[in-house]
Structures are given as structure tokens and as C-alpha cells.
Amino acid sequence: MPIAEARVKVAILSSWKGTGRINWRDSLAQIEHDKLVLRYLRMGEVVGEDVFPLSTLQDLGVKVPDQFKLNPEKEHFGLTFYLPTRGELRVILTIGENLLIYDEKKFREFVHKIFEVLINGKTVWFQLARIVGGAINMESQWESGKLRIISVKSARRGVTERNIVVLNKDMQPIPFFSDVEDLDIEEVDFQNKKIKAWKIKHFYVDQTVTSYLYIPERSTQLYILRYLLKYIPSYFEFIMKISSEFPTLQAEFQEVMEKELKELESLDDIEKQILMALYSGINPLEIHQFLGLSEKEIEEIYDRMIDKGLLKIVMIRKIVDLTRDGRKIVNKLIKYGLASM
């Protein structure tokens, strides 16, 4: 009996056959506790199937290039398997255009269920609030727990969201991945040996603490990182810091950074200075004086930046403000050391 199923479009790319023409097939996707089953459909009838044991899963949530997508406007979900008889296979799932057949919400829930099957019940070890206020909490000792994806309320933001927690021996959820402030890897003592644990600085109950989480299975580490990347993208930079053992993640991060740097290179020095000035609160009507330009010159530059989507007009006299994209650009300039406040 499947745990979840969804009507999907599926394409399979093989490392043995190259990446030529992509063949999209209508399918009923089913997830079971140990496998992904694709039942291919033609005129509503099952005409074949593929079975992918989860034990052969190499990665999931992998980036799907636009040229491989059926419709770049719709969500795609990529999984990588390795089957000895077929080589490395990239399985891409998405939905078709017919809303009478394909349900976008059901597709998203199906994808989430895949993560649940892979993560729920995995054993981990933790030291909760090992460091409090900069001092070691000697009462915090290693305990075992089980991973679970549940709806949990953020202690800091008061928002209820689905996230990964650790259930302790009393089955109480500990939200290590809610309100994360920093994430790193540290070598620590565990059962008379040295291990690499995740060092998580997070807001817990009513204060910021630092906890340690030891995840013995490398595959489980990857599934957690992929889950956080997909559902909490604001943790992107935290995940970059602890992803060195996962080449596919590193390659994706490198691609993102190269794309961002290329985007920043398209800005000239004056545009960067204007973005930083507006970000720091300087009156847009005074920026021409700040930069030693005439009002006509600055308005021409504003026009160019408005066309790029970095500024928006908030009053008739070219009083401008940063757009969301403009603020993102400023954060990237600061991140890569290309500008400072």
C-alpha cells in the first residue's frame, strides 16, 4: 500500500545514454517506505512501471536545468539513483497542464512525503543547549533521539511551520532547525572518540543557545540539508558552510555564486554607490550632491536602474526607493566584499 501518490509527468536521464532528447511520460508516482514506483499510463491505463529502491538513492532535490524542464514556470523535482544494471539515473518529476488530471498541491505534498519517508525515524545524538551565554552547560549531556518532520511553532517569530525536529526519549520535540542563527561543523568528544557534529546556534525557549547534533548516517545528513534548502531557503549560507562533503551541493552553490557575481559585474561603480547610499538611508534628492553629479545626470542613471528593476519611483520628482531586487543586490555586494556600508 503506497504511503502517498500523485499524477505526474516524468523524464529519466541516464548517464549511460547521454542527455539527448527528453522523453516525458504520464505516470502515477507512488512512494512506499523503501521505494519509489512509477506506473506509466497511456489513455489512463498502466502500460509499464519502474521501481527505484530508496537504498539506491544518491541525492534528491537536485537542481534541474531549465533546458531539461517541461515547463520552467512549474515546479520540478529531481532525484538521482544509481542502479547497477542501468547506471546513474536522474528522475525528474513535474506536473502537466491539464488541471483536471494534475494537482499542484498534491504534487507538492507528494514531494514533501518523500522527505518524510527518508528522514522520519532516523537515529541521531544531541547535546541540547551545550553552550548558554558563552559558557559551557555541564548539565547538557549526549542523548539519543529520532528525527521527525512535524509542524512546530517558532519560539522567536511565533509562526507555526513544518520543520525537522528531534524527538527525545520522552517523545518531546526539540526544534533544532527553527530560528537558526548559525551552523557549523566541530570535532567533539562522543563515547570516547572524536566525531564531527553539527554545531547549531539557535533560539530555544527564550534565549540563544548552542547545541550539538551528531547524525551518524551521511545520507541522512544530505537529506536534512536538501530539506532545509528547499523549504527554508534563507538558510542557504548556513548550509554552504557544512556541505563540504557533498560534491553535488558544492557544485550547485558554486553555480549560484558565479551567477550572482556575474549579475554584480553588470553594475557600474556609480550604480553600486547609488544602491549603497539608498540602502543606508540617504535622501534620493540629495544623492547627486553626495556623488558630485548634476540632477540631470542622476535622474538619467535612475532611469537606467528603474529599467533594470533595481529602483522604483515613489513620487513624481524621481524620488526613488530600492526594490526587493535592489535590496538583494546590496546584500550580495556586501557578502562578496564589493561594497561596504
Side-chain angles (χ1 to χ4, degrees), residues 40-248:
Y40 301 116
L41 305 173
R42 184 178 298 149
M43 303 296 290
E45 298 292 328
V46 176
V47 294
E49 72 173 31
D50 262 324
V51 177
F52 299 92
L54 295 182
S55 60
T56 66
L57 182 66
Q58 304 292 299
D59 203 351
L60 79 164
V62 296
K63 181 178 174 59
V64 178
D66 283 347
Q67 67 265 28
F68 292 160
K69 292 181 178 180
L70 180 63
N71 179 352
E73 299 299 316
K74 292 190 179 296
E75 181 179 356
H76 288 65
F77 188 70
L79 306 99
T80 303
F81 294 88
Y82 181 81
L83 302 180
T85 58
R86 300 174 64 182
E88 185 178 275
L89 302 174
R90 185 186 301 185
V91 178
I92 305 173
L93 306 177
T94 188
I95 59 173
E97 301 294 336
N98 190 340
L99 298 181
L100 296 176
I101 299 176
Y102 302 99
D103 186 320
E104 189 171 351
K105 182 179 179 182
K106 194 170 183 179
F107 177 76
R108 290 197 300 266
E109 287 299 319
F110 180 81
V111 168
H112 193 272
K113 187 61 69 174
I114 295 175
F115 281 104
E116 291 181 39
V117 169
L118 293 168
I119 292 173
N120 284 353
K122 297 295 185 181
T123 299
V124 297
W125 294 81
F126 65 90
Q127 282 185 310
L128 177 61
R130 179 61 172 170
I131 301 173
V132 180
I136 295 178
N137 173 17
M138 299 306 295
E139 295 182 4
S140 174
Q141 302 296 322
W142 285 108
E143 302 177 54
S144 65
K146 300 287 187 181
L147 294 172
R148 181 70 59 83
I149 299 175
I150 64 172
S151 292
V152 60
K153 188 173 183 179
S154 159
R156 171 167 282 170
R157 293 173 289 114
V159 176
T160 299
E161 58 192 2
R162 284 194 298 195
N163 207 331
I164 302 170
V165 303
V166 175
L167 300 180
N168 64 15
K169 62 182 179 180
D170 298 319
M171 300 301 289
Q172 296 298 311
I174 303 172
F176 285 104
F177 297 105
S178 291
D179 305 311
V180 172
E181 298 179 12
D182 198 10
L183 192 57
D184 214 332
I185 294 178
E186 186 171 309
E187 191 172 72
V188 296
D189 293 315
F190 172 77
Q191 297 181 351
N192 300 317
K193 63 181 179 181
K194 293 286 187 181
I195 54 99
K196 290 183 178 180
W198 289 2
K199 181 180 181 181
I200 307 172
K201 185 177 181 181
H202 59 118
F203 193 79
Y204 180 67
V205 183
D206 59 358
Q207 62 183 331
T208 295
V209 302
T210 297
S211 302
Y212 289 90
L213 183 65
Y214 173 48
I215 308 162
E217 293 182 2
R218 183 176 179 277
S219 58
T220 302
Q221 295 178 32
L222 177 60
Y223 302 153
I224 292 172
L225 294 178
R226 284 296 191 185
Y227 184 90
L228 297 176
L229 269 178
K230 181 169 181 60
Y231 295 106
I232 314 180
S234 59
Y235 287 4
F236 179 89
E237 291 186 28
F238 299 151
I239 296 168
M240 279 183 61
K241 294 171 64 177
I242 64 171
S243 64
S244 58
E245 295 185 6
F246 303 101
T248 53

Side-chain angles (χ1 to χ4, degrees), residues 231-271:
Y231 295 106
I232 314 180
S234 59
Y235 287 4
F236 179 89
E237 291 186 28
F238 299 151
I239 296 168
M240 279 183 61
K241 294 171 64 177
I242 64 171
S243 64
S244 58
E245 295 185 6
F246 303 101
T248 53
L249 274 175
Q250 288 288 293
E252 289 179 17
F253 291 147
Q254 183 65 31
E255 184 180 338
V256 169
M257 287 189 290
E258 289 175 358
K259 184 178 179 181
E260 289 182 347
L261 286 169
K262 187 175 182 180
E263 181 182 30
L264 297 178
E265 287 171 0
S266 69
L267 299 173
D268 61 33
D269 288 340
I270 291 294
E271 290 172 336

Side-chain angles (χ1 to χ4, degrees), residues 20-35:
R21 188 176 66 86
I22 298 177
N23 181 29
W24 288 97
R25 302 178 69 178
D26 190 19
S27 174
L28 181 65
Q30 298 177 327
I31 185 72
E32 300 183 16
H33 75 280
D34 62 347
K35 59 191 173 186

